[in-house]
Amino acid sequence: MNDIRRSILWVVFVFSLIMLWDRWQIHNGNPALFFPQPTPVSASAEATPAASEGAVPAGVPAATSTSAPPASAQAPVAGAEDVVVTTDVLRLTFSTQGGSLNRVQLLQYDNDARDGNVVLLDRRGDHTYVAETGLTGGSLPNHQTLMTLAEGPLSLADGQNELQVRFESPVQNGVQLVKIWTFKRGHYDAHVRHEVINHSQAPVSTQLYEQITRDGGLVDGGVMFAGTYTGPAVYSDAEKFQKVSFEDINNKKDNFEKTTDTGYVAMVQHYFASAWILRDGIQRTNYVNRLGPNLYSVGQTTPFATVAPGQSQTVESIFYAGPQIEKNLEGITSGLELVKDYGMFKVLAKPLYWLLDQLHNLLGNWGWAIVALVVLLKVAFYWLNAKAYASMAKMKAINPRIQQLRERHKDNPQQMQLEMMRIYREEKVNPFGGCLPILIQMPFFIALYWVLLSSVEMRHAPWIGWVNDLAAPDPYFILPLLMTVSSLLQVALNPAPPDPMQAKMMWFMPLAFSVMFFFFPAGLVLYWLTNNILSIVQQWIINTRMGVPPQFNLPKFK
């Protein structure tokens, strides 16, 4: 039994090394060995022909179709100008070409270098991340049409709670498109009103498209060994949150709900996201497209009611561009908080995040909130841990007998196993007794790991002294070193494996795993260190209560 348990640990160790090497390859810009991803290609590698005036924009489904062939990005229109709009939390740069949103600067968030603000949307060089809207069908105004900015303030003044920015297109084929963006103080979501005015003598039927266009490049400042999703996503009440990766789009495996009357389309990255949101009950068609060798769009189309001559129709929606603060996203629309990626343990992660947030409100510091949360988890699982450590203490007590048994029957493995099982029965020891409680707890601790990894609140959040950013690696490696020492102390407190090779592996494994923690965010290392310290204390107390003197089994490598 003991050998089987060690074999399982070997398998886990080897698999972890494989995953470690794979993440190292990706972090250094090399193709993954076991889980390959598409290699980003510069968007400038392909020529980008300009669209003819009034043509249906590239990559946008036509009025009678829900898909379009891949196309390259469109060239800027001569005479287009930038319009800078400022609120208390956003600085936005629009273009009079289509009234498109070409840059979003988050004024409350410093970038990774802390020499400026986070820029979420942007158009520069071969990097493209923009929000576009327009009309489909015929020669109607779209995001390539040169528009006029209506007069009015472009910044949110002191004491002012709302700001409106209005773009008006020229009349094309008898149709005019008006876009009105409304921003509110303290909000990252803007209300966008699209109005179609029919200046012709015949009824007009058209559709509105709202899309987010982005290149497939990687996001700077990612976490080594811990991949976070970057790419499009689609949400509906029926199918919930569906990721549509750039690789899926390239391979035409874009499996998501196309037609619905709920939800949103989004572009997601670590800590931040953007999304177009239509009100529930409005029929829409979701789509994704590859616009070039490294350019993609995710969007939705929705029909306007038929516009009679001299009349107008409107469609209202919300555009969000900002941090993935869960409680704020929940208040905008159903399911928007799911852009925050919790991995496969989101059922456990959401209540853990709620508890962590409550502890932060109480303690006022995210680092101490992490420590407090681990303490609460250890209390919740106290009796499970007690059973595990009690089993280890029994194993430690009978370990000398097992060692003698192995020496006596070293040439007869079958007899050795029979004698070991007899000792286990007599002493009422379960060799796997220390494993089951740990396995039960693992989903909770993995979920907490993803909470800490994905929460933007940890970004640039200080703890104590030298730790001034819980989302960045410890600059002096103090926490990783302490975590390594605590892991070795845990091994020393456990019963030494009878097999010398297994004993060496039990010392080598925490050293190998600790390498990762030198590159992990400080908040994650603090979480593991706190857990290790509490585990050592609990194991020490249980050993003492059971009459097994706590002692450190130092390695004896010869």
Side-chain angles (χ1 to χ4, degrees), residues 127-276:
H127 174 59
T128 299
Y129 187 178
V130 297
E132 303 162 324
T133 66
L135 304 180
T136 64
S139 299
L140 300 181
N142 54 53
H143 72 268
Q144 296 298 321
T145 304
L146 197 60
M147 293 188 168
T148 302
L149 173 69
E151 291 187 6
L154 296 178
S155 60
L156 195 65
D158 292 340
Q160 184 181 4
N161 290 319
E162 188 173 288
L163 174 67
Q164 283 194 346
V165 179
R166 180 186 178 100
F167 292 94
E168 299 177 354
S169 78
V171 178
Q172 292 182 198
N173 276 6
V175 174
Q176 184 181 30
L177 175 63
V178 177
K179 301 182 183 182
I180 303 173
W181 291 71
T182 302
F183 302 95
K184 293 184 178 180
R185 180 174 296 277
H187 286 240
Y188 292 95
D189 56 309
H191 288 256
V192 187
R193 183 175 183 229
H194 290 87
E195 182 178 6
V196 170
I197 305 172
N198 185 1
H199 293 275
S200 72
Q201 300 302 312
V204 171
S205 296
T206 185
Q207 292 187 99
L208 170 72
Y209 66 86
E210 299 174 314
Q211 68 181 15
I212 303 168
T213 301
R214 189 191 190 283
D215 63 79
L218 301 178
V219 177
D220 293 335
V223 179
M224 189 182 295
F225 308 123
T228 54
Y229 178 72
T230 298
V234 174
Y235 176 88
S236 67
D237 287 349
E239 296 296 332
K240 304 306 179 184
F241 191 73
Q242 297 174 288
K243 297 176 182 177
V244 191
S245 69
F246 299 130
E247 184 177 8
D248 288 339
I249 299 173
N250 289 339
N251 297 329
K252 301 187 184 302
K253 295 181 179 179
D254 48 350
N255 184 24
F256 60 93
E257 189 171 23
K258 307 285 193 305
T259 304
T260 179
D261 63 354
T262 60
Y264 58 84
V265 294
M267 195 67 75
V268 182
Q269 67 185 58
H270 195 202
Y271 294 139
F272 304 100
S274 59
W276 278 112

Side-chain angles (χ1 to χ4, degrees), residues 10 14 26 58 65 93 96 114 117 141 144 169 182 193 240 256 258 269 296 360 425 455 479 504:
W10 264 97
V14 172
I26 296 173
S65 174
T93 301
T96 54
R114 300 202 183 194
N117 299 125
Q144 296 298 321
S169 78
T182 302
R193 183 175 183 229
K240 304 306 179 184
F256 60 93
K258 307 285 193 305
Q269 67 185 58
Y296 307 86
H360 172 258
R425 286 195 300 270
S455 294
L479 288 178
K504 292 179 182 180

Side-chain angles (χ1 to χ4, degrees), residues 309-323:
Q311 300 298 311
S312 65
Q313 295 288 346
T314 63
V315 170
E316 295 189 1
S317 58
I318 294 173
F319 180 75
Y320 179 86

